[in-house]
Every structure is written in C-alpha cells, then in structure tokens.
C-alpha cells in the first residue's frame, strides 16, 4: 500500500512538474517562431545554477544548515533579475522554472534583463526576526560571487519582504565595500526603494484585468471577483478591485477561504492580515481553497501558489476571465480546457510582470541617483503593461494560439534574438 501511494505521489509530482510544463511551452513558442532546435537546447534550462548550504546560528544556540539556490536563466539581453523565495517547498526544479518565467516576463514587458530566481528551503513563519536576518545575510555571502548590480539583481518573492531586502543589501554592500542599493530591489524607501514597488504586481494585474474585461465586454463596476491568496499580490489586488467598484466575493490564504456573495469588507481584511498574508484564521465560517476556485464569479485571480487549476477542477471554473497573479497556478492541461471553454486566460508571465517592471524602475533610479514620484512610476507602469497586454492579445489573435503560448512567443523572441546577435547560436 505504502509503495503504491509513493508511486502515485511521484506521478502527481511529475505531472505537475512546473519546469517540464515551462519547457513544453518554450519549445512550442520557438517552433512557432521558426527557431532551430539548438535555441531550445540553450533556453530550456538556466545557464547557471548555484546550490549553497547556509549555516545559521539559531536563537537556542544550535546551528541549522539551510539549502539555498540561485538560478540565472539567460544573460544575453542583460543582467539577470528575479526574486528570492523563502518556503519549505522550494526545490531546484521550481527555482529553475521560476528563473525561466522571469526571462519571459522581462521579454514581454521589454526590460533590458534576463531572468533569475533564488530560493531557500525554510519556513520563515517558524523563525524569529534575528534568525531570519542571519539566514538572509548568510545567503548573500554564499551567492555573492555570482550576483551584483550589473550581474544578477534579486528582489522579494513569496515570504520575503523589504526588511529582508534591506539586510541583503547591507550584507552585499559590506562585501562589495561600497554602498550598493542597485544590488537588490524591493527595498524600503529610505534605502533607495521605489515608490509604488510594494503594490506594483497588484497594479499590473489590475491593468491586465481592466484590459481583459474590456475585451470581454465586462464592466468592472459590480463585477464579481475571487482572489486566491491574500499576500503581497492578492491583498493589494483585492483592494484595487474593490476601489474600482468590483465586488470581491472571495479571498483565501493557506488555511482557508472567505466568501460573501454581497462582497467582503476588504479594508477590514487588509487591516487584519498578518505579514504572511494570513487572515482567515480569525473567522469561523470559512470555505476551502478548492471551493473558492469554483465559486460563481466573473473574474478569478489565483494569487497564491502553483498548480491550483488542474484538469481535475478546470471544468468547474465558472469565471469568464482567469488572470494569473501567481506564478504557474494553471497546468497546461487546465489551460487547454479553459481555452476550449472560451475562458480568457491572462497568463502569469504577462499578468504579474508589474513587479519586475517597477523593480527595473527602482534599479534605474538607484543607478542615476535621482528618484521619481509615485505618479511618475504609475504612469510609466501603466504604459508598459497596456502595451504588453495588447501585444500578447494581438499575437494570440493573429497567430491563432492561446494566450499562454502567445505570451511565451512574445517573451522568448527578444532573448533568442539577443543570443543570435551575440553569436551564441
Ligand atoms: P505572499 O507570501 O505575500 O502571499 C502568499 C499568499 O498565498 C498568502 O496569503 C498565503 O497564505 C497564500 N498561500 C500560501 N500557500 C497557500 C496554499 N497552499 N493555498 C492557498 N493559499 C496559499 O506572496 P506574494 O508575493 O503575494 O506572491 C504570491 C504569488 O504571486 C506567487 O506565485 C509569486 O511568485 C507571485 N508573484 C509575486 C510578485 C510580487 O511582487 N510579490 C511578483 C510576481 C509574481
């Protein structure tokens, strides 16, 4: 029995392997664009992958050894860029896939970067403030040789925040013997952070929702919205949707979901959520994340983790538009089912590109030592996201492909061309 269970778990994992799924779509995109096979061979994996062991003195005096990764997918366009995730389920394959998605995002919003990503296998919810500081500094020491403001620029991701970015920037500045704000983005404002960075991903998703709703003739005023995940991306998005006059009828976190057909009190929930995006523990009447995804609504926004919409529930999704704020929330099988059912998908590599766009703005401001107002940042973000959305939408229409493949085609083209001009392929 045990052996059977293990096999089925392995099969499940293999089926939902995000790296494999990404490689399949990259291959299709390159084929559609007419690139030879060697381009795929170069782009299917990161060009550089570092695995590190980080010894951390815990508060009780013991030493715990953590495993960390930094993947650099492709640096033909420019330095690599991408967040650092602190999560117990971080794996090497996930970090690799996330770095490829970053390359695609940078291509879609036309930034002078390739993709990178980092991760540490840990559970920050069970670590003290000082343990987290020692882990963050230890990680930077371990990867310092391959990162830097002109090589690879990290940023926040799941369970990392501006405080962690500040510790990392400080540690790198000590190693570099130079004040290096451009080493990392997502910093606090007083350390060279950018206005609008904290809400950038949600703003970008909001712009995509607005554009997608226009295409589907849905008025955002009164539209029923469901958001899975109430962290950085999900909570601000819920707030922006609420402010736009939409009715946010469902939200969730890792422990459950809240549902009110008349619309939830988003300001209250924002006020009560903790720094890990947890809020449902305060309520008795909760539903499950599975039930949340299948709620009757107009717009569904997965903004939590991977593999949430699969072939098992794709037939039950009732939204007309699915906008992926999270990375990799929909499997390829589910993408096919949703597309066949006429549901408009705005894929992750497009929808969540607002974060890296404002991270780029932050890096530009650090490099020039001159800082922009929130209005300037928002205006620039608006232009970038609208252009990217229309580019992907038109590619999908003219090439008769789904939105995910269209986004990959747009995202991979600049990278492939840069590799060609450099004489790599
Ligand atoms: P976060 O850590 O701030 O929040 C994550 C949220 O997801 C929390 O509410 C958490 O409770 C919830 N969650 C965790 N496990 C869950 C589970 N099993 N089921 C349901 N909910 C669960 O993270 P974030 O920064 O908001 O990122 C969320 C997603 O958006 C990730 O996929 C991330 O890669 C992606 N993303 C974030 C940014 C950004 O700038 N923050 C940018 C691009 C993409």
């Amino acid at each position: 029995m045990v052996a059977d269970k293990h096999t089925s778990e392995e099969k499940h994992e293999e089926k939902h392997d995000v790296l494999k799924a990404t490689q399949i779509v990259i291959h299709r995109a390159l084929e559609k664009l007419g690139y030879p096979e060697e381009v795929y061979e170069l782009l299917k994996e990161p060009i550089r992958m570092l695995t590190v062991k980080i010894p951390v003195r815990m508060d009780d005096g013991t030493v715990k050894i953590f495993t960390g990764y930094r993947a650099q997918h492709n640096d033909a366009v420019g330095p690599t860029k991408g967040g650092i995730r602190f999560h117990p389920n971080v794996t090497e394959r996930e970090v690799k896939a996330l770095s490829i998605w970053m390359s695609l995002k940078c291509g879609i919003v036309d930034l002078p970067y390739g993709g990178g990503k980092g991760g540490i296998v840990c559970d920050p919810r069970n670590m003290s403030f000082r343990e987290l500081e020692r882990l963050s500094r230890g990680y930077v020491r371990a990867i310092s040789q391959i990162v830097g403001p002109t090589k690879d620029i990290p940023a926040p991701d799941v369970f990392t925040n501006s405080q962690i970015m500040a510790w990392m920037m400080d540690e790198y500045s000590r190693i570099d013997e130079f004040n290096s704000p451009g080493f990392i983005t997502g910093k606090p404002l007083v350390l060279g952070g950018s206005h609008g960075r904290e809400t950038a991903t949600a703003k970008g998703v909001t712009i995509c929702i607005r554009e997608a709703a226009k295409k589907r003739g849905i008025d955002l005023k009164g539209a029923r919205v469901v958001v899975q995940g109430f962290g950085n991306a999900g909570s601000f998005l819920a707030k922006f949707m609420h402010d736009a006059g939409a009715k946010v009828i469902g939200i969730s976190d890792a422990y459950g979901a809240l549902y009110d057909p008349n619309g939830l009190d988003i300001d209250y929930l924002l006020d009560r959520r903790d720094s890990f995006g947890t809020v449902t523990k305060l309520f008795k009447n909760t539903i499950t994340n599975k039930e949340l995804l299948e709620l009757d609504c107009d717009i569904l926004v997965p903004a939590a983790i991977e593999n949430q919409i699969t072939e098992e529930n794709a037939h039950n999704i009732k939204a007309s538009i699915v906008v992926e704020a999270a990375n990799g929330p929909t499997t390829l099988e589910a993408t096919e089912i949703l597309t066949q059912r006429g549901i408009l998908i705005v894929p992750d590599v497009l929808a969540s590109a607002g974060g890296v766009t404002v991270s780029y703005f932050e890096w530009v401001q650090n490099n020039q030592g001159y800082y922009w107002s929130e209005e300037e940042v928002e205006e620039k973000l608006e232009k970038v996201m609208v252009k990217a959305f229309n580019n992907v939408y038109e590619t999908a229409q003219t090439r008769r492909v789904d939105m995910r493949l269209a986004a990959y085609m747009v995202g991979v083209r600049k990278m492939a061309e840069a590799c060609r001009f450099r004489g790599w392929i």
Side-chain angles (χ1 to χ4, degrees), residues 39 62 89 111 137 156 180 234 238 263 287 289 298 303 323 333 374 376 409-410:
V39 182
T62 59
N89 300 340
L111 306 181
R137 290 183 184 278
S180 304
I287 59 170
N289 266 283
D298 302 301
V323 182
E333 295 81 5
E374 185 150 7
E376 278 174 283
M409 286 167 70
V410 172

Side-chain angles (χ1 to χ4, degrees), residues 22 26 73 81-83 85 97-117 156-157 197 201 205 233 324-329 347-357 360 384-385 388 392 407-408 410-415:
T22 306
I26 291 250
H73 175 238
K81 176 106 192 68
R85 178 173 290 202
L98 285 160
S99 75
I100 301 177
W101 293 338
M102 286 308 299
S103 281
L104 295 167
K105 283 184 203 190
C106 293
I108 290 167
V109 287
D110 201 10
L111 306 181
Y113 291 139
K117 202 78 182 191
D157 191 69
R197 175 61 187 88
T201 303
V205 179
E324 299 177 336
N327 283 305
D348 48 7
V349 285
L350 165 62
S352 69
V356 70
T357 302
Y360 165 62
V384 169
M385 290 304 299
V392 171
Y408 273 56
V410 172
V412 86
R413 188 185 284 131
K414 185 176 173 185
M415 202 171 13

Side-chain angles (χ1 to χ4, degrees), residues 157-176:
D157 191 69
V158 174
F159 292 165
T160 52
N161 55 28
S162 60
Q163 173 61 80
I164 291 174
M165 299 304 109
W167 288 324
M168 290 187 172
M169 190 276 274
D170 183 64
E171 192 65 28
Y172 187 81
S173 295
R174 288 174 191 208
I175 295 167
D176 200 27

Side-chain angles (χ1 to χ4, degrees), residues 361-379:
F361 296 162
E362 181 174 332
W363 180 75
V364 169
Q365 292 170 78
N366 294 151
N367 289 345
Q368 65 185 7
Y370 178 72
Y371 289 82
W372 308 339
S373 67
E374 185 150 7
E375 292 72 34
E376 278 174 283
V377 170
E378 280 190 11
E379 200 183 302

